[in-house]
Amino acid sequence: MQHGPACPVCGSKANEVWASARDVEYHTSDDVYEYRRCTCGVTFIDPMPTSRLAEIYPPNYYAYASGTPGLVERIKQRLDARLFRRLLGSLDGEHLRVLDVGGGDGWLLSVIREIDPRVQSTMVVDLDPDAEALARGRGHDYFCGPVETFDTDGQFDLVLLLNIIEHVADPVAVMGRVRKLLAPGGVALVKTPNTDSLDARLFRRRNWGGYHCPRHWVLFDRAGLESLAAGAGLRIRRFSYTQGAPFWTVGTLASLSRRGAVRVNAQRPMVRHPLFSPLNAAFAAFDIARGALGGRTSQMFFELESVG
Ligand SMILES: [Zn+2]
């Protein structure tokens, strides 16, 4: 095995080139980014475009992140609501404090508050200054900045990190911070793409949507996330796979656009393409069926608790 840069999770240099990919979703540049795979189960972008945040998260990125949910989104919310109901039911306490890292305008915290009336304290930590007013309007506290710098004496019974850990440069620091933010008996719920899925293998060299290139910097398989958690003093309380239809959709549309069959560009991001929603619905049904049959689907849920 060749020697590469240090793995951002385990520090080992025994990693090799895994794939290269472009920004096929937002076309923020024509650059080709390299992904490397470490023996610890981590796949990471190298080099990390840490100084190009404003470029790789264009203004329209946030515009499409919110808005009226489509059919797939509504099905997903129903499935996730079931997960949240069970998870909240497993937590002890008269009053529950919930933190959503990367929670934006706080819509999910509002859903959670409706599911369980014991949820009386809700907090968003997010980088987006424009989401603060909306989140506060919904009755949530808000800290604008990275979670590593979120300094509080408070602790939380439930900490959400949904599709966040793959976006950060230093997942070890983030996971360590999360552990400190957990109240005794508290649970951290982490959702992240699965590099050990069928779509990740099929689209490995063809712009797999899970790369969300160049915005996903550190990606995991089940063992990789487990070792990240263990390093922070957290263990897996429960694990499940979940669907990741957009990863299939992005890979498929990128292949079609490379052949000239569809056109996507910076003015019309892939998510606005008329084929995106129908493809997404079809792949969601496919992934949900595969998940029901025990398949290792595109994304993973980890429920983490402190060791000891
Ligand atoms: Zn590693």
Side-chain angles (χ1 to χ4, degrees):
M1 181 168 289
Q2 69 203 82
H3 280 261
C7 166
V9 172
C10 76
S12 164
K13 293 187 172 179
N15 48 71
E16 55 192 4
V17 175
W18 181 251
S20 53
R22 291 180 307 111
D23 184 357
V24 294
E25 291 177 73
Y26 289 85
H27 293 271
T28 51
S29 76
D30 289 325
D31 292 1
V32 174
Y33 297 85
E34 194 162 86
Y35 284 82
R36 304 185 69 90
R37 178 159 290 195
C38 179
T39 50
C40 76
V42 162
T43 304
F44 59 98
I45 196 167
D46 179 69
M48 284 184 188
T50 46
S51 61
R52 296 170 65 182
L53 291 180
E55 177 195 342
I56 68 177
Y57 291 98
N60 60 5
Y61 183 82
Y62 295 102
Y64 298 124
S66 56
T68 315
L71 175 66
V72 172
E73 199 52 37
R74 289 204 301 274
I75 293 171
K76 208 161 68 75
Q77 280 173 20
R78 287 263 296 263
L79 293 173
D80 289 352
R82 210 161 59 187
L83 179 142
F84 284 120
R85 206 163 288 129
R86 181 188 48 72
L87 178 50
L88 288 159
S90 75
L91 298 173
D92 292 329
E94 300 264 299
H95 307 293
L96 299 178
R97 299 151 291 178
V98 183
L99 166 65
D100 191 354
V101 180
D105 59 19
W107 70 268
L108 180 59
L109 285 175
S110 298
V111 170
I112 286 173
R113 201 171 45 194
E114 271 178 42
I115 291 174
D116 193 330
R118 293 179 302 155
V119 175
Q120 289 177 6
S121 163
T122 46
M123 170 112 213
V124 173
V125 171
D126 200 292
L127 300 174
D128 182 6
D130 296 333
E132 176 160 3
L134 261 171
R136 288 195 184 279
R138 289 172 169 154
H140 312 304
D141 289 326
Y142 197 96
F143 172 80
C144 189
V147 69
E148 303 95 293
T149 66
F150 173 48
D151 196 17
T152 175
D153 293 333
Q155 289 191 311
F156 299 87
D157 304 291
L158 177 59
V159 176
L160 305 175
L161 279 148
L162 305 179
N163 293 115
I164 289 300
I165 199 74
E166 63 271 19
H167 284 265
V168 307
D170 189 352
V172 174
V174 170
M175 208 52 101
R177 187 79 200 110
V178 165
R179 197 219 148 136
K180 291 202 176 76
L181 291 168
L182 275 185
V187 173
L189 179 67
V190 177
K191 184 185 182 193
T192 197
N194 175 20
T195 56
D196 182 33
S197 60
L198 177 61
D199 46 308
R201 284 193 292 278
L202 285 175
F203 292 105
R204 170 180 167 184
R205 298 178 194 283
R206 287 177 290 168
N207 294 291
W208 177 48
Y211 300 136
H212 195 36
C213 179
R215 287 161 291 269
H216 285 176
W217 293 352
V218 187
L219 292 154
F220 302 87
D221 61 15
R222 185 177 180 172
L225 199 287
E226 212 164 319
S227 64
L228 170 68
L234 294 161
R235 67 173 164 226
I236 316 292
R237 190 177 96 133
R238 194 184 171 109
F239 170 85
S240 56
Y241 291 105
T242 186
Q243 64 88 22
F247 301 167
W248 288 93
T249 305
V250 167
T252 303
L253 280 177
S255 293
L256 290 172
S257 109
R258 211 169 43 243
R259 292 180 191 133
V262 305
R263 274 192 49 182
V264 288
N265 53 43
Q267 283 68 49
R268 187 173 71 177
M270 192 179 271
V271 66
R272 300 312 276 180
H273 193 279
L275 280 176
F276 193 92
S277 288
L279 278 175
N280 222 28
F283 283 127
F286 177 59
D287 241 11
I288 288 168
R290 288 180 55 235
L293 296 170
R296 297 192 300 269
T297 54
S298 315
Q299 299 218 69
M300 308 176 283
F301 271 123
F302 297 84
E303 294 174 28
L304 307 175
E305 62 187 3
S306 293
V307 176

